[in-house]
Amino acid sequence: MTVTLTPAAATLADLENIWRNQIAVKLDPSAKAGVEAASAMVRAAAEGDVAVYGVNTGFGKLASVKIAPEDTETLQRNLILSHCCGVGEPLDIATTRLMMALKLLSLGRGASGVRWELIELIEGMLAKCVTPVVPSQGSVGASGDLAPLAHMAAVMIGAGEAVYNNETLSGGDALAKAGLTPVVLGAKEGLALINGTQFSTACALVGLFSAWRNAASSIVTASLSTDAIMGSTAPLVDEIHTLRGHPGQINVARAMRDLMEGSEIRESHREGDTRVQDPYCIRCQPQVTGAAMDLLRFAGQTLEIEANAVTDNPLVLKEDGRIVSGGNFHAEPVAFAADQIALAVAEIGAIAQRRVALMVDPTLSHDLPPFLTPEPGLNSGLMIAEVTTAALMSENKHLANPCSTDSTPTSANQEDHVSMAAHGARRLARMNANLSYILGVELICAAQGVEFRAPLKTSAGLQNILKTVRKDIPTVREDRYMAPDLAKAGELVTEGALVAAAKLSGFVVGEGA
């Protein structure tokens, strides 16, 4: 399957589809004329006498060095090879492919000065599943994601390494086996490939998509937890939330009301319940997770703009006939978005962990047995599963500290303020994995708690969730080896099984519900 993207018009839904399904990408052919026109301007500048940064000059602090026309190809090749300085674990294949798709979108705007031939090669690599090996560390998020993108570009010139048919090969061998031909870079083309924010943006988008699924899943787990501890649905009434007006809060409350509608457990304690109010982790789920979802939507708007942006330097302004240096490579918008996503992920986990703690504590759980085991003492039940959630919650709090407020001068002080967007975005994968486990443990606890309320039944919607859980995770009747259960519960969250079983609708990242 191949999706055709129009530069400047890709949506978050398009990008999530590319990432989750690893489908091939092509640009709409209508972009070709603008791309070739900009390329012609760059070729003319390379042969001229006027110094144009990155076209016939050196780079960064060496921009004052004029390069002869006959050295243009060597200049661009040297740029790629010298910038392949990434270290650390390789970026996963799905995120690398998304990064390549983002590079296509940027080049397709016709302001980078590359030939259409480069775009066709990236399209071919995506279609034939030639994936550059891109070390995940080495970018400070300005002047673009130089090191990671250089590793992508290296494969395009037959250097570096790539994965093809589950085998890591030299870039040249991978292209040859796939029937593709490496390019010889012309004026500015190497710079256009590496001088952009696509690595940071791809990692941030993956963080966004994962966070959104976690957030939606937390609506389900919170609803089940509320019934498990026989919590009140009064705090979910629509009027409370419309009086405040925040859309995320309104939407979360509505979804929880719908999920819990018809619960026998809820109806059983409307009268005679001595508890006046539930703890905040139950009562304030719409306010907390709703605010987090609003924050994710805002970050999504930023990242959708960035995904469609031209972020290399210099830029070819065809209408004016000029090639102008600027600073679109500075990834500050991406760094801010990544920090916002991190805050949302940390807070969704923080309130979910408190619900887990509530359910395993017999003094707070409204008559549930200690640690949700039918024979406490002989069995420890879910005691240490709760401890694991506390560890993960605390780790996420630490990881949520902002990256965008950090900076350090690089490149002999020419690049004296940087965004740190790259590792700000990369940490989101770890944070989302932590959150999925927290929510998975909540799911196990809440399912156990609801079953202890028998013969009373939960709502039809939450019974569907119980069936989904029990397909893979049996009721914990006595102590057993728990690690596989936690892993499977986390998978139910990350794979979207809870959201599907709950039939949640109206929750699309980047849009109002």
Side-chain angles (χ1 to χ4, degrees), residues 28 44 55 84 115 143 150 155 226 278 320 324 328 339 356 373 377 402:
D28 191 293
V55 176
C84 285
R115 292 164 293 158
S143 172
V155 176
T226 299
D278 293 317
D320 298 339
V324 182
N328 281 3
D339 281 347
V356 173
T373 179

Side-chain angles (χ1 to χ4, degrees), residues 475-494:
T475 301
V476 183
R477 303 188 190 284
E478 57 186 18
D479 284 354
R480 64 176 186 249
Y481 184 58
M482 288 298 299
D485 293 335
L486 269 62
K488 186 59 190 180
E491 286 177 16
L492 292 175
V493 174
T494 59

Side-chain angles (χ1 to χ4, degrees), residues 23 225 247 289 340 376 446:
I23 56 179
S225 296
T289 297
Q340 290 161 353

Side-chain angles (χ1 to χ4, degrees), residues 182-339:
V183 294
V184 176
L185 298 174
K188 193 190 174 292
E189 289 181 333
L191 189 60
L193 288 172
I194 70 172
N195 199 193
T197 66
Q198 287 77 36
F199 173 87
S200 295
T201 304
C203 292
L205 283 167
V206 170
L208 173 71
F209 301 145
S210 300
W212 189 261
R213 179 164 285 183
N214 276 329
S217 298
S218 79
I219 296 171
V220 179
T221 59
S223 299
L224 199 61
S225 296
T226 299
D227 233 13
I229 62 103
M230 302 185 90
S232 174
T233 55
L236 300 177
V237 297
D238 187 55
E239 290 82 357
I240 291 174
H241 306 285
T242 55
L243 280 169
R244 197 174 198 184
H246 293 294
Q249 177 180 329
I250 293 168
N251 298 337
V252 170
R254 182 179 66 235
M256 291 184 68
R257 286 197 309 273
D258 292 345
L259 270 175
M260 297 185 68
E261 180 67 31
S263 168
E264 292 179 3
I265 298 172
R266 172 65 187 110
E267 295 305 318
S268 72
H269 60 95
R270 284 191 184 273
E271 303 294 334
D273 195 332
T274 58
R275 298 169 300 171
V276 177
Q277 293 181 325
D278 293 317
Y280 288 177
C281 65
I282 299 294
R283 198 180 350 147
C284 299
Q285 167 72 353
Q287 287 81 357
V288 175
T289 297
M293 295 183 99
D294 284 341
L295 194 57
L296 292 175
R297 283 195 177 98
F298 182 77
Q301 292 169 8
T302 297
L303 294 176
E304 186 173 83
I305 292 170
E306 189 74 6
N308 287 284
V310 185
T311 55
D312 64 286
N313 181 61
L315 297 181
V316 182
L317 309 180
K318 299 187 296 291
E319 293 77 8
D320 298 339
R322 293 186 295 158
I323 301 174
V324 182
S325 288
N328 281 3
F329 50 72
H330 200 297
E332 196 79 357
V334 182
F336 282 152
D339 281 347

